[in-house]
Amino acid sequence: MLTQPGLSRSDLAVLVDVGPLRPEDVVAVARHGAPVRLTEAARAAVAAGRAVIDELAADPRPHYGVSTGFGALATTSIPPERRGDLQRSLVRSHAAGSGAEVPREVTRALMLLRLSTLATGRTGVRPVVAQTYADVLSAGITPVVHEYGSLGCSGDLSPLAHCALAVMGEGTVRDATGTLLPAADALAAAGIEPVTLVEKEGLALVNGTDGMLGMLLLAAYDLAALISTADLAAALTVEALRGSSTVFDADLQDLRPHPGQAASAANLRHVLSGSRLVQHRTDGVFTRVQDAYSLRCAPQVHGAARDTLDHALTVARRELAAAIDNPVVTLDGRLESNGNFHGAPVAYVLDFLAIAVADLASISERRSDRMLDTARSHGLPPFLADDPGVDSGHMIAQYTQAGIVAELKRLAVPASVDSIPSSAMQEDHVSMGWSAGLKLRRAIDGLRDVLAIEILTACRALDLRARTEPDAAPSATAAAVRAALRAYVAGPGPDRFLSPQIEAAVDLVRDGTLLAAARAALAAHGHDLL
């Protein structure tokens, strides 16, 4: 799983070397504004790659991207005095995005990952280009990039072109304060000289899977925390419904040796440890034979999501180690065309994660619904209402979950199968990975809301259970999570404006407060939350 260190500080520089970045480095720069520094080894590699391009530029024979046009115009020869114009025209024409502006963190991830490829020396840009990208990132300048423009083949062309345009001193950016202004003004204020592109450089700046990869890494970071949150939510619901904990025993999980399932089951066991609400099988005492699937099979579903995330991170780490450009400077000094810019590997796992996200939300909503139904809640009041009939309790909170889950099912429809040809049929099969990344980001937000509502509902159910069963205390971990929630959301009572309570719970999931409360309580008893 992806580790989640404290990344709130923005003064710790991330070093961009010839080798791959870590996923945590991307989150630090993209989300937390960490500055960027190029290593000396990276500078040397970039200079060596540039020497190859300078030699080819002087060769009378045509070389794609150096002395020819691009794509379907690759057979057009470009004279030396027009090659700078060619590179600038490429960037300007490809900066053709439309639609809403993507979040700052997506654009910063995009730029950092392109810089990481530049630093390999395989793209042939000059060192000044790589350094300018590092300077723009460190200054907090963020080019305006739009939702539409990338088909995920030949790289995330339009998003990357908008970034290259800003480095040229053209287009629109936001400064470190978020103010919208012309790129030339932002660069001047930061003391950064605009770059005048020469042979091969425009092409090198727009050919890459950097946008979809950045969104994958950010989504994976968030999803790692949300899967643990799902385990926590499920455990709280098991307590609220007086379910059985025996089903989560390690020997039963070992009969089906999926690592994610084992991890989620361990989380449930640890959270439920010490609870006087859960049912244990005891000789001579009758308990429910088994719980509904949404409780009993939580480790199987959550674990499958964990394993899917691990697979996605394997793909992401391979992509972080890639040097994607077309043409590319090989280690032995050749300039070769290739197809490595195709985003299929990243697009597939983005779509795969969207399926897992939708199912995590689906099973969470089903657990929440059980707590509201007197026929299935084992003694809880209808809809967890304070005064049923007068009050509606959490009835409509479940409607909100249901609406989100329905949306997440639509977002789980894969983008990567929806290829559409472009560039006069030269690019006749594309990945749509950028689109897959955008919809996964929206899905992650929906999952967060659904899980927050389940936790909000389960904590209310635990409070109401205590009214009639004062001796049936929840686990220490559940009590700690409920206390963390109650610092911002009052306990049961007559109906109140519910939306702010939901938003408060969502914020506590987003900023990690509830997970931190659970981890602290578990640590006190020698357990971890995975």
Side-chain angles (χ1 to χ4, degrees):
M1 298 292 285
L2 188 62
T3 58
Q4 292 190 301
L7 292 173
S8 59
R9 294 182 62 188
S10 61
D11 58 337
L12 299 176
V14 167
L15 297 180
V16 178
D17 201 359
V18 179
L21 291 164
R22 301 176 305 161
E24 294 84 356
D25 295 331
V26 178
V27 177
V29 173
R31 182 167 292 173
H32 301 289
V36 173
R37 302 285 184 269
L38 280 170
T39 67
E40 289 304 317
R43 295 176 194 277
V46 173
R50 183 62 207 179
V52 173
I53 300 302
D54 287 339
E55 184 176 343
L56 294 176
D59 189 343
R61 292 174 297 172
H63 296 280
Y64 176 65
V66 176
S67 53
T68 73
F70 310 120
L73 302 177
T75 58
T76 302
S77 178
I78 308 298
E81 66 274 10
R82 298 301 309 280
R83 292 173 187 171
D85 294 337
L86 169 69
Q87 302 300 320
R88 292 187 291 273
S89 293
L90 172 74
V91 171
R92 290 166 180 157
S93 65
H94 284 47
S98 183
E101 182 180 347
V102 301
R104 178 178 186 266
E105 66 177 28
V106 172
T107 302
R108 287 182 62 83
L110 172 82
M111 291 192 72
L112 175 66
L113 292 167
R114 182 75 327 219
L115 172 60
S116 182
T117 289
L118 300 181
T120 66
R122 307 274 64 82
T123 71
V125 302
R126 293 167 297 156
V128 66
V129 177
Q131 184 58 53
T132 304
Y133 265 63
D135 292 342
V136 168
L137 283 165
S138 296
I141 297 170
T142 306
V144 172
V145 172
H146 302 276
E147 284 189 349
Y148 300 113
S150 174
L151 299 181
C153 201
S154 286
D156 290 315
L157 286 174
S158 179
L160 283 163
H162 279 274
C163 296
L165 190 70
V167 171
M168 290 165 51
E170 302 179 25
T172 306
V173 301
R174 292 190 185 274
D175 65 15
T177 69
T179 302
L180 199 65
L181 71 165
D185 294 347
L187 295 182
I192 300 171
E193 287 287 330
V195 172
T196 300
L197 301 180
V198 297
E199 292 97 341
K200 178 65 173 65
E201 290 182 334
L203 198 58
L205 296 182
V206 302
N207 259 300
T209 58
D210 309 292
M212 64 183 87
L213 176 59
M215 287 189 279
L216 173 59
L217 290 165
L218 291 165
Y221 185 84
D222 292 336
L223 187 53
L226 288 176
I227 295 174
S228 293
T229 302
D231 292 341
L232 176 61
L236 295 176
T237 300
V238 168
E239 288 200 84
L241 291 173
R242 278 191 156 277
S244 171
S245 63
T246 307
V247 68
F248 308 127
D249 287 352
D251 62 338
L252 296 177
Q253 309 307 313
D254 290 344
L255 295 174
R256 195 185 193 193
H258 292 288
Q261 176 178 326
S264 285
N267 280 348
L268 283 153
R269 286 198 308 275
H270 294 161
V271 173
L272 293 170
S273 178
S275 173
R276 298 178 63 183
L277 284 165
V278 294
Q279 301 291 315
H280 304 278
R281 293 198 187 102
T282 306
D283 290 341
V285 177
F286 177 80
T287 61
R288 290 200 301 277
V289 175
Q290 57 187 19
D291 292 317
Y293 287 8
S294 58
L295 278 65
R296 184 171 19 132
C297 301
Q300 286 74 15
V301 175
H302 298 185
R306 285 179 179 275
D307 291 341
T308 300
L309 177 56
D310 281 346
H311 169 62
L313 282 168
T314 296
V315 173
R317 290 189 176 99
R318 291 170 183 161
E319 198 75 357
L320 283 169
I324 294 176
D325 195 11
N326 183 49
V328 67
V329 178
T330 64
L331 288 171
D332 61 358
R334 305 184 331 272
L335 185 69
E336 296 287 355
S337 292
N338 64 91
N340 286 336
F341 47 73
H342 198 290
V346 181
Y348 289 172
V349 293
L350 286 164
D351 281 337
F352 198 178
L353 286 180
I355 293 171
V357 165
D359 207 35
L360 284 170
S362 177
I363 196 170
S364 172
E365 181 274 331
R366 288 293 80 204
R367 290 191 297 260
S368 299
D369 185 63
R370 297 190 74 82
M371 290 183 280
L372 306 180
D373 183 357
T374 56
R376 296 176 291 150
S377 68
H378 304 287
L380 291 170
F383 302 106
L384 304 183
D386 185 69
D387 184 1
V390 174
D391 295 320
S392 295
H394 276 210
M395 178 192 296
I396 308 304
Q398 183 267 330
Y399 285 36
T400 300
Q401 284 185 309
I404 295 170
V405 169
E407 172 70 6
L408 297 190
K409 291 176 181 177
R410 292 188 288 271
L411 292 171
V413 175
S416 55
V417 299
D418 197 20
S419 177
I420 188 166
S422 58
S423 191
M425 293 300 288
Q426 178 75 2
E427 300 170 11
D428 58 352
H429 186 276
V430 297
S431 78
M432 303 305 290
W434 174 267
S435 299
L438 290 176
K439 72 183 182 67
L440 177 59
R441 287 178 61 83
R442 180 171 174 81
I444 291 285
D445 289 341
L447 173 61
R448 185 183 295 114
D449 288 10
V450 170
L451 292 174
I453 291 172
E454 182 184 0
I455 292 174
L456 185 70
T457 303
C459 287
R460 182 179 179 92
L462 289 172
D463 284 334
L464 291 172
R465 182 79 72 186
R467 289 183 179 180
T468 57
E469 303 172 60
D471 293 331
S475 70
T477 303
V481 172
R482 182 177 58 183
L485 178 68
R486 290 289 169 254
Y488 298 90
V489 178
D495 283 352
R496 298 183 296 270
F497 184 15
L498 191 52
S499 183
Q501 298 179 53
I502 293 172
E503 288 306 307
V506 171
D507 289 342
L508 294 171
V509 171
R510 181 185 291 109
D511 67 15
T513 296
L514 299 183
L515 271 183
R519 287 186 166 124
L522 287 169
H525 293 84
H527 294 304
D528 294 321
L529 189 69
L530 303 174

